[in-house]
């Protein structure tokens, strides 16, 4: 296709996608629930000291001493007309004042009619419990019992976080909240309606509906987790936040006050563990929309939606519109890609950007090799260079099949002119990549040398324990694509039957086979590595579906099943079923709600920690060095607050005194075990807003 026509059509598509984001963004902004507490049938209570409240019926008292949420840590919740609440334990015991001080359980029938009512006094997302006798609930730090004696006022009371643990009986057996479920239902209706429009001949309208629905789905995903996920999103988030003010100096700890190992990428200063392009994108988004979880994920959502027409166009070039549409639909419904967009999987933002730029380079390659002008070489070179600026040399993938195709031309195999196009594109790639590499080598020689060496270690060594056998990535196909490896292999075998041009056939198959052989051979294995060939895998699956339909309807060609009305309906229902399988809503629930059999305890911990950190007073964190943070929570503190730095553990006395002598503000989380030289130092602010252990 002529580059000018492509630019015009792409511009219209980008404008439509931008309008889609605007519409969905306004809807999410207006209606998406972010209240501190949502009425629910079951909940858990977490004290400000980070422990779950437990109500074991073998004991009459309530204790706040559990680190996990299981059966005894779940309460039934009754919300009364006057907004007070009553609590029942999992076996029906009523939470009551037992002897004018202790809070425990009663199983007497008369107590069910006069259950103890508590008034909730909210502070942010935490709440104090005030009894009907105007006393507040407190946790005895000695034995962890819950008390509500006459002398306990608000100042001495304990704050609690209410965590819903079961939405199962709310709407249609779903763990999503009603607002989430409403949005998701509307999104899926739009996406699946596009199937019927396509099969009834409305191709352009169906593609626009698919893009509009996919935009809503991407925004839905980036709103699911109100916190940065631990691996690796929180580290990327903090580096991106620091890039807002220092775009040419990637930093994890913007300030370092204790000795550190520059090889330890989760606690160092200058952070070159990843190439910077995706971090610059996150920083720009947070510069525009503010430093928060949704803002940092917006680039993921945009790139994901833009990849859908790229997948469609690649398949259109090498095959036909029907295969292209099925490929784009399956990609839009990819559950694993959506979880990458949400920030859940390891290397999330990094992988989404990497897949995006590699896909652009492959798209431009097919445009160029199928009658496009030499201007496509510019896009190939730029996209490949940008891919390298995200995740290093695998971004050169586009050149692999290209070199092979040129070499297979027997007449021109040994002529230099046969490789001029490759050389021009590659020169552009080098010009994109080289300046940053030279800059970091000169500016940060120690850190850059460490990271360049680490990159080469991935080939021969299972870095950080990320290893696996040769068939690791084949076993992961079910996770990545929603289909067992055998179906994908069969689909690839069928590709030659629907890709008429020899060079296109070779390129499609070579890209996929080369990616899987290469990443299967290197020592370090990460689940998302092969996804740079995802567009072509989904193309192969589109081929599989089309051939299956041809065989199926040919077998029933004299039946009403092949009729003008029945055929498109059957096709739409079948593809819709595949889409539901691929997106795997149940898995999304398990990851991003409380739907796991163990009530997703790690998510509850993360939610609670993030809520507490967001509410820390300025005196505790602003322009302050924070110590005694829980494991890996220092990164969250630096992301959400203006803390100078945040560290695990307690500093020794000489270090503490040196910081104070330098006029540096110091605060520490008081877990009840701070040494005397900290407790007796009135220049150290003690943070008593407790939060969960890991």
């Amino acid at each position: 296709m002529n580059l000018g026509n492509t630019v015009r059509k792409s511009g219209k598509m980008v404008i439509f996608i931008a309008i889609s984001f605007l519409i969905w963004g306004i809807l999410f902004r207006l209606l998406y629930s972010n209240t501190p507490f949502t009425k629910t049938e079951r909940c858990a209570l977490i004290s400000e000291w980070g422990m779950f409240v437990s109500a074991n019926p073998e004991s009459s008292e309530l204790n706040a001493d559990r680190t996990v949420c299981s059966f005894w840590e779940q309460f039934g919740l009754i919300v009364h007309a006057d907004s007070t609440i009553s609590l029942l334990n999992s076996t029906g015991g009523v939470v009551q004042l037992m002897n004018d001080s202790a809070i425990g359980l009663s199983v007497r029938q008369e107590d069910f009619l006069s259950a103890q009512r508590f008034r909730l006094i909210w502070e942010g997302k935490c709440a104090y419990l005030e009894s009907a006798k105007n006393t507040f609930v407190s946790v005895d730090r000695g034995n962890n019992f819950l008390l509500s004696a006459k002398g306990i006022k608000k100042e001495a009371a304990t704050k609690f976080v209410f965590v819903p643990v079961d939405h199962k009986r709310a709407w249609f057996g779903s763990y999503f909240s009603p607002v989430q479920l409403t949005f998701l239902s509307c999104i899926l209706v739009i996406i699946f309606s596009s199937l019927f429009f396509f099969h009834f001949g409305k191709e352009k309208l169906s593609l626009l509906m698919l893009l509009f629905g996919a935009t809503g789905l991407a925004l839905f995903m980036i709103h699911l987790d109100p916190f940065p996920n631990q691996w690796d999103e929180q580290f990327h988030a903090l580096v991106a936040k620091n890039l807002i003010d220092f775009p040419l100096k990637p930093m994890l700890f913007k300030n370092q006050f204790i000795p550190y190992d520059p090889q330890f990428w989760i606690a160092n200063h200058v952070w070159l563990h990843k190439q910077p392009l995706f971090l610059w994108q996150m920083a720009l988004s947070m510069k525009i929309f503010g430093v928060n979880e949704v803002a940092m994920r917006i680039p993921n959502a945009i790139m994901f939606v833009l990849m859908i027409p790229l997948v469609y166009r690649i398949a259109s070039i090498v095959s036909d519109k029907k295969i292209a549409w099925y490929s784009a639909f399956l990609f839009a419904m990819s559950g694993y890609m959506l979880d990458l967009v949400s920030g859940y999987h390891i290397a999330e933002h990094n992988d989404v950007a990497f897949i995006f730029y590699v896909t652009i380079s492959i798209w431009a390659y097919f445009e160029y090799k199928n009658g496009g002008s030499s201007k496509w070489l510019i896009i190939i070179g730029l996209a490949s260079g940008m891919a390298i600026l995200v995740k290093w040399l695998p971004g050169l993938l586009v050149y692999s099949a290209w070199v092979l195709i040129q070499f297979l031309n027997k007449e021109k195999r040994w002529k230099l002119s046969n490789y001029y196009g490759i050389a021009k594109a590659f020169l552009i790639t080098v010009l994109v990549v080289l300046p940053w590499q030279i800059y970091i080598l000169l500016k940060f020689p120690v850190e850059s040398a460490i990271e360049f060496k680490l990159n080469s270690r991935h080939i021969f060594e299972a870095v950080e324990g990320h290893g696996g056998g040769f068939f690791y990535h084949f076993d992961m196909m079910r996770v990545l694509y929603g289909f067992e490896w055998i179906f994908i292999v069969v689909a690839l075998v069928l590709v030659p039957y629907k890709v008429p041009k020899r060079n296109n056939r070779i390129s499609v198959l070579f890209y996929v086979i080369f990616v899987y052989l290469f990443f299967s051979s290197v020592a370090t294995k990460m689940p998302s590595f092969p996804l740079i060939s995802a567009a072509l895998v989904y193309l192969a699956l589109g081929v599989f579906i089309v051939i299956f339909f041809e065989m199926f309807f040919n077998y029933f060609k004299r039946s009403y099943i092949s009729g003008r009305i029945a055929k498109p309906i059957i096709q739409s229902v079948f593809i819709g079923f595949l889409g539901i399988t691929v997106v795997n809503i149940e898995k999304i629930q398990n990851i991003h709600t409380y739907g796991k059999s163990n009530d997703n305890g790690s998510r509850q911990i993360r939610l609670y920690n993030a809520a507490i950190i967001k509410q820390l007073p300025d005196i505790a964190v602003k322009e302050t060095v924070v110590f005694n943070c829980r494991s890996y929570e220092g990164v969250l503190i630096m992301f959400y607050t203006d803390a100078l730095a945040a560290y695990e553990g307690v500093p020794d006395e000489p270090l503490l005194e040196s910081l104070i002598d330098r006029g540096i503000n110091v605060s520490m989380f008081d877990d009840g075990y701070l040494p005397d030289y900290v407790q007796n130092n009135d220049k150290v602010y003690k943070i008593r807003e407790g939060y969960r252990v890991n």
Side-chain angles (χ1 to χ4, degrees), residues 319 323 491 494-495 498 538-548:
S319 189
I323 289 172
L494 294 175
V495 162
K498 289 296 179 179
Y538 283 113
L539 184 155
L541 289 170
V543 169
F544 184 100
I545 292 169
V546 167
I547 291 178
F548 170 79

Side-chain angles (χ1 to χ4, degrees), residues 94-140:
V94 183
V95 175
Q96 293 279 23
L97 290 177
M98 301 303 292
N99 52 18
D100 293 327
S101 62
I103 296 179
L105 293 174
S106 174
V107 294
R108 296 186 305 169
Q109 185 64 39
E110 56 268 28
D111 287 337
F112 284 87
L113 303 177
S114 59
Q116 177 65 56
R117 295 190 178 193
F118 297 96
R119 187 164 66 92
L120 301 178
I121 301 177
W122 291 100
E123 282 196 4
K125 295 189 177 183
C126 303
Y128 294 99
L129 287 174
E130 183 182 15
S131 74
K133 296 183 179 181
N134 298 319
T135 60
F136 285 84
V137 176
S138 177
V139 176
D140 185 327

Side-chain angles (χ1 to χ4, degrees), residues 495-507:
V495 162
Y497 294 95
K498 289 296 179 179
V499 179
K501 291 185 179 180
R502 171 180 174 270
N503 286 349
N504 288 341
R505 289 198 300 270
I506 294 173
S507 297

Side-chain angles (χ1 to χ4, degrees), residues 198-199 203 312 315-316 319-329 498 538-539 541-543 545-547 549-550 553 567-568 571 575:
F198 174 74
H199 287 117
E203 178 194 328
Y312 179 86
S316 296
S319 189
D320 61 43
K321 295 292 179 67
K322 182 169 284 191
I323 289 172
W325 204 95
Y326 292 153
S327 305
F329 177 82
K498 289 296 179 179
Y538 283 113
L539 184 155
L541 289 170
V543 169
I545 292 169
V546 167
I547 291 178
F549 279 150
E550 289 175 350
F553 289 111
K567 182 177 178 179
Q571 289 175 315
I575 300 298

Side-chain angles (χ1 to χ4, degrees), residues 115 169 182 208 239 242 270 314 325 345 370 388 447 490 498 608 613 634:
R169 289 170 287 176
T182 300
L208 292 177
V239 176
N242 292 333
V270 173
I314 291 170
W325 204 95
H345 289 299
N370 288 270
I388 293 171
E447 291 85 356
V490 171
K498 289 296 179 179
Y608 180 70
I613 291 168

Side-chain angles (χ1 to χ4, degrees), residues 495-532:
V495 162
Y497 294 95
K498 289 296 179 179
V499 179
K501 291 185 179 180
R502 171 180 174 270
N503 286 349
N504 288 341
R505 289 198 300 270
I506 294 173
S507 297
V508 169
L509 294 174
F510 181 82
Y511 280 134
V512 177
I513 294 170
F514 177 76
V515 164
Y516 270 88
L517 289 180
F518 175 78
F519 286 118
S520 296
S521 300
V522 301
T524 299
K525 303 288 196 301
M526 298 283 279
S528 304
F529 279 172
L531 279 176
I532 54 177

Side-chain angles (χ1 to χ4, degrees), residues 224-286:
L224 285 177
D225 294 329
F227 50 80
N229 289 279
Q230 184 165 301
W231 301 104
D232 298 329
E233 189 180 37
Q234 67 172 358
F235 301 98
H236 297 157
L238 181 56
V239 176
K241 176 190 174 183
N242 292 333
L243 282 172
I244 295 173
D245 297 321
F246 303 94
L248 295 180
K249 188 178 181 181
M251 294 177 287
L252 186 65
F253 280 69
K254 190 161 56 174
N255 308 279
Q256 278 285 16
F257 297 93
I258 64 175
Y260 68 95
D261 182 356
Q263 299 185 77
F264 195 46
W265 65 267
I266 61 175
N268 62 9
H269 173 47
V270 173
W271 200 86
L272 302 178
H273 188 61
K274 295 285 192 298
Q275 293 283 310
L277 181 54
F278 79 102
L279 297 167
W280 285 332
Q281 293 175 172
M282 294 170 67
L284 178 61
S285 182
M286 288 192 285

